[in-house]
């Protein structure tokens, strides 16, 4: 009986350490909550906001701490441990087959002959084993191999499975560094970056520095500092500062109707555009100047571009922004309508023709079929390139009426966008 | 598991029956020598001439009877001398190679003498 115990122990040892493959994966579960967390980084920033209140320009200096704003998500996390053994199935199959055949051989032992095989004498001078002994040996061998494999397979199958551990997890989903806890800065403002000697430093009043147009005209600077630390000025505010500086000079210059009457129409158009640009500054006195410029342009037979004209960035934009009442080409029936342009004043048209010649920088003569059309081309436009003579062009424009140019009396169209046509 | 399999394989290979009696062993040696009769020197050394090999050698050795027992050479010596004859196979129908037979003729003059040779 003792040997049976030892055999059992051996079997247990052989199959007890049956290896298992383990796979561990983490799956994200439902979201529990979202929260924000602000962490102070211990650094400070200085920024200046620019505010234009004609005739004054205010710099509001703000000193802030630098904070990191973190957006967190708290969610359930499932850690899934999967134990499996791919050989468990084959082990059970092979083990069961071996055990069945081995057990069958052992059970059928009495059916086999006990007589030794007298046809063969081995190297030691012994007869060959009897068929019963051969069956016994093979029976024991197959059972010995089959039973452990079967038990191992069963244990592995029983131990296989999934185990899920649930825990709470936290993840940072966004991170942003931004100024926080702003407070008005104090101290003296220094100016830097301009041509020549920098302006004298000026004290701050409640975090604000105020400069008048007269003061600003005499100052040259690109940046401002407090206590040696440069203040950050946004791009928009830098543009506002540049515009305020430009307008403070331009609007201070005297504008006389007699002097304007001597100017070229092209120069007047450019000047008008600049003056109109100063409308972006609240309170800037531009209306009077615009009227003077419009009057000067009208006296020269030139029409000011409407200030409320849509801004276009391409030919397609122009087609979309100016719905065309007419599309006029050399062979279109609408061409006849150009014989009476006064009836089309203010209407947008799409013209296709051949550039015959340029008259100065701002007038082009375009031949559309048998009709010549004068096209006003604003020289400061992005598209206003030097179109070659004889090239096919197409343009979106607004009919201005009839215009005489030397001996030519033709319809006038203000081009919104012109390009070379294919 | 591998050790278990190897152990079982060794057990299967070691599986055999009871010891064969001296008469059967003697007849097995005669059978194998007769199968190698065509090898050079066998016919001459065993002085067989044109006689029937099997019956002649059985007659000389007297191992045709059931109660035969080895005396000189002993059973162990016969077994040792028989080893080259069963090197290829223990199948009694399979002839040993002439090299193996030469080894017996050279190393076992006592066995050749027992078989009535010179």
């Amino acid at each position: 009986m003792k040997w049976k115990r030892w055999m059992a122990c051996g079997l247990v040892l052989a199959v007890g350490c049956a290896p298992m493959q383990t796979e561990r994966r983490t799956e994200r579960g439902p979201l529990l909550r979202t929260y924000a967390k602000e962490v102070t980084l211990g650094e400070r920033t200085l920024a200046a906001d620019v505010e234009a209140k004609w005739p004054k320009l205010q710099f509001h200096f703000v000193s802030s701490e630098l904070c990191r704003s973190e957006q967190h998500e708290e969610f359930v996390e499932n850690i899934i441990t999967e134990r499996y053994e791919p050989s468990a199935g084959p082990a059970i199959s092979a083990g069961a087959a071996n055990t069945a055949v081995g057990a069958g051989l052992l059970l059928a032992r009495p059916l086999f002959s006990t007589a030794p095989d007298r046809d063969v004498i081995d190297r030691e001078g012994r007869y060959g084993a009897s068929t019963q002994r051969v069956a016994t040996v093979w029976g024991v061998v197959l059972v010995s191999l089959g039973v452990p494999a079967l038990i191992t397979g069963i244990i592995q199958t029983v131990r296989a499975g999934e185990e899920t551990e649930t825990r709470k997890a936290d993840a940072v989903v966004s991170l942003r560094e931004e100024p926080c806890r702003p407070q008005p800065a104090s101290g003296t403002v220094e100016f830097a970056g301009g041509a020549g000697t920098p302006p004298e430093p000026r004290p701050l009043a409640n975090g604000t520095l105020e400069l008048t147009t007269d003061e600003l005209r005499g100052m040259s600077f690109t940046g401002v500092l407090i206590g040696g630390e440069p203040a950050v000025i946004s791009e928009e505010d830098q543009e506002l500062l540049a515009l305020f500086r430009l307008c403070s000079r331009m609007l201070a210059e005297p504008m006389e109707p007699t002097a304007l009457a001597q100017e070229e129409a092209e120069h007047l158009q450019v000047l008008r555009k600049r003056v109109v640009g100063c409308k972006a500054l609240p309170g800037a006195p531009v209306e009077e100047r615009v009227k003077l410029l419009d009057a000067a342009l009208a006296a020269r037979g030139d029409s000011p571009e409407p200030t409320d004209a849509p801004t276009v960035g391409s030919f397609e934009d122009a087609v979309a922004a100016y719905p065309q009442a007419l599309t006029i080409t050399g062979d279109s029936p609408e061409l006849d309508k150009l014989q009476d342009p006064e009836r089309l004043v203010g209407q947008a048209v799409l013209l296709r023709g051949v550039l015959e010649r340029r008259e100065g920088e701002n007038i082009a003569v375009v031949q559309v079929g048998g009709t010549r059309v004068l096209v006003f081309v604003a020289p400061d436009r992005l598209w206003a390139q030097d179109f070659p003579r004889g090239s096919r062009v197409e343009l979106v424009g607004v009919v201005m009426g009839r215009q005489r140019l030397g001996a030519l009396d033709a319809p006038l169209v203000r081009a919104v966008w012109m390009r070379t046509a294919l | 598991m591998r050790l278990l399999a190897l152990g079982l394989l060794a057990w299967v290979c070691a599986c055999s029956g009871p010891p064969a009696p001296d008469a059967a062993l003697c007849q097995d040696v005669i059978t194998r020598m007769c199968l190698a009769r065509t090898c050079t020197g066998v016919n001459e050394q065993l002085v067989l001439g044109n006689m029937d090999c099997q019956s002649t050698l059985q007659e000389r050795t007297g191992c045709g009877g059931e109660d035969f027992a080895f005396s000189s050479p002993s059973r162990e010596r016969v077994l040792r001398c028989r080893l080259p004859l069963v090197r290829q196979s223990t199948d009694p129908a399979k002839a040993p190679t002439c090299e193996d037979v030469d080894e017996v003729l050279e190393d076992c003059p006592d066995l050749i003498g027992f078989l009535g040779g010179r």
Side-chain angles (χ1 to χ4, degrees):
Chain A
M1 287 303 279
K2 225 172 183 181
W3 69 272
K4 283 187 179 172
R5 282 185 195 167
W6 281 109
M7 201 164 168
C9 284
L11 269 176
V12 168
L13 281 174
V15 302
C17 301
M20 295 291 289
Q21 291 192 27
T22 305
E23 204 170 82
R24 202 177 152 110
R25 65 178 193 275
T26 305
E27 282 183 3
R28 190 185 160 128
L31 183 69
L32 296 175
R33 68 180 178 124
T34 306
Y35 65 95
K37 193 170 153 188
E38 199 172 79
V39 181
T40 308
L41 298 177
E43 294 171 36
R44 294 195 75 83
T45 59
L46 180 67
D49 292 331
V50 181
E51 191 184 2
K53 286 181 181 170
W54 195 272
K56 287 175 182 172
L57 185 71
Q58 289 183 333
F59 290 84
H60 302 289
F61 289 90
V62 178
S63 172
S64 315
E65 284 189 57
L66 194 61
C67 291
R68 191 170 60 212
S69 174
E70 297 174 352
Q71 196 71 26
H72 287 248
E73 274 186 359
E74 203 172 80
F75 54 90
V76 174
E77 194 175 68
N78 296 319
I79 299 164
I80 300 163
T81 308
E82 199 178 347
R83 270 193 298 273
Y84 66 98
E85 181 51 53
S87 66
I92 289 176
S93 322
N98 285 342
T99 306
V101 174
L105 285 171
L106 291 176
L107 289 172
R109 276 177 68 214
L111 302 176
F112 293 100
S113 165
T114 54
D117 181 6
R118 294 182 198 282
D119 292 337
V120 177
I121 298 172
D122 68 8
R123 287 170 181 79
E124 283 75 41
R126 303 174 80 90
Y127 281 133
S130 65
T131 49
Q132 188 184 69
R133 188 169 166 76
V134 171
T136 306
V137 167
W138 278 108
V140 170
V141 167
L142 291 175
V143 168
S144 303
L145 291 174
V147 169
L150 188 62
I151 295 173
T152 305
I154 291 169
I155 289 174
Q156 285 172 336
T157 307
V158 169
R159 283 172 66 192
E162 226 178 53
E163 197 177 277
T164 305
E165 184 192 332
T166 303
R167 69 181 183 193
K168 204 160 69 174
D170 187 292
V172 178
V173 289
S174 76
L175 200 70
R176 200 172 65 239
E177 283 185 8
E178 57 189 3
C180 61
R181 300 187 192 94
Q183 56 188 51
S186 57
T188 305
V189 179
E190 296 164 82
F191 301 92
T197 313
E200 283 298 310
R202 296 190 178 216
L204 275 176
N206 198 24
T208 303
L209 171 70
E210 199 170 79
L211 297 173
T212 62
T213 51
D214 294 336
E215 286 171 323
L216 200 62
R217 270 200 305 277
M219 296 169 83
S220 171
F221 64 92
T222 55
V224 283
L225 306 91
I226 295 178
E229 187 187 349
V232 178
I233 302 175
S234 70
E235 216 166 279
E236 293 82 20
D237 283 354
Q238 281 182 0
E239 282 174 11
L240 184 61
L241 173 61
L243 180 66
F244 195 92
R245 183 174 275 148
L246 178 73
C247 292
S248 67
R249 285 176 193 149
M250 198 166 56
L251 300 181
E253 288 168 6
M255 187 175 276
E256 295 295 332
T258 48
L260 292 178
Q262 306 298 316
E263 293 286 350
E264 291 282 325
E266 179 193 330
H267 180 249
L268 291 175
Q269 287 283 12
V270 172
L271 191 60
R272 184 183 185 280
K273 193 180 168 192
R274 285 180 182 165
V275 171
V276 168
C278 293
K279 276 187 174 178
L281 302 172
V286 296
E287 294 304 330
E288 193 58 37
R289 286 170 185 264
V290 170
K291 277 180 191 168
L292 287 172
L293 285 163
D294 284 353
L297 281 165
R300 299 184 66 82
D302 210 343
S303 301
E305 192 176 327
T307 52
D308 55 350
T311 308
V312 293
S314 66
F315 186 82
E316 287 71 25
D317 281 357
V319 170
Y322 289 82
Q324 297 93 50
L326 298 171
T327 298
I328 303 171
T329 58
D331 53 0
S332 67
E334 282 81 8
L335 186 60
D336 292 340
K337 294 184 178 174
L338 280 180
Q339 300 306 316
D340 189 6
E342 301 301 338
R343 299 184 70 174
L344 300 173
V345 170
Q347 286 192 22
V349 292
L350 174 65
L351 274 183
R352 289 200 183 95
V354 177
L355 182 78
E356 190 186 287
R357 65 176 192 274
R358 293 292 291 263
E359 291 287 344
E361 273 188 33
N362 55 355
I363 294 291
V365 181
V366 176
Q367 183 88 34
V368 184
T371 306
R372 284 186 178 130
V373 179
L374 295 171
V375 178
F376 175 73
V377 179
D380 58 337
R381 288 291 182 267
L382 285 173
W383 48 267
Q385 54 174 295
D386 190 13
F387 295 97
R389 288 178 66 177
S391 60
R392 293 185 62 76
V393 292
E394 60 182 348
L395 63 101
V396 173
V398 178
V399 179
M400 308 298 291
R402 185 171 286 280
Q403 179 76 35
R404 172 170 287 282
L405 184 72
L408 179 62
D409 185 19
L412 176 67
V413 174
R414 178 176 60 81
V416 176
W417 198 284
M418 186 161 88
R419 70 178 182 185
T420 308
L422 296 173
Chain B
M1 206 64 179
R2 282 181 188 172
L3 276 176
L4 177 67
L6 283 173
L8 291 170
L9 187 67
W11 188 39
V12 169
C13 293
C15 180
S16 56
D22 286 356
L25 187 60
C26 174
Q27 283 167 24
D28 183 78
V29 171
I30 289 169
T31 304
R32 290 177 194 280
M33 288 304 287
C34 289
L35 283 173
R37 188 177 176 178
T38 51
C39 292
T40 312
V42 173
N43 213 36
E44 290 76 24
Q45 287 218 29
L46 292 178
V47 199
L48 289 171
N50 292 325
M51 293 179 289
D52 178 63
C53 178
Q54 194 82 21
S55 57
T56 304
L57 292 185
Q58 274 195 26
E59 194 182 320
R60 283 179 191 171
T61 54
C63 62
E66 284 296 316
D67 53 349
F68 171 80
F70 287 116
S71 56
S72 179
S74 64
R75 179 184 171 91
E76 288 70 36
R77 174 65 181 163
V78 172
L79 281 173
R80 204 174 306 122
C81 289
R82 180 177 169 263
L83 283 177
L85 300 178
V86 293
R87 190 170 287 144
Q88 289 291 317
S89 168
T90 53
D91 181 0
K94 190 162 185 182
T97 63
C98 290
E99 288 79 29
D100 290 336
V101 176
D102 283 347
E103 191 181 326
V104 175
L105 295 176
E106 196 172 317
D107 297 346
C108 299
D110 48 347
L111 180 67
I112 301 302
F114 170 68
L115 293 172
R118 57 187 180 200

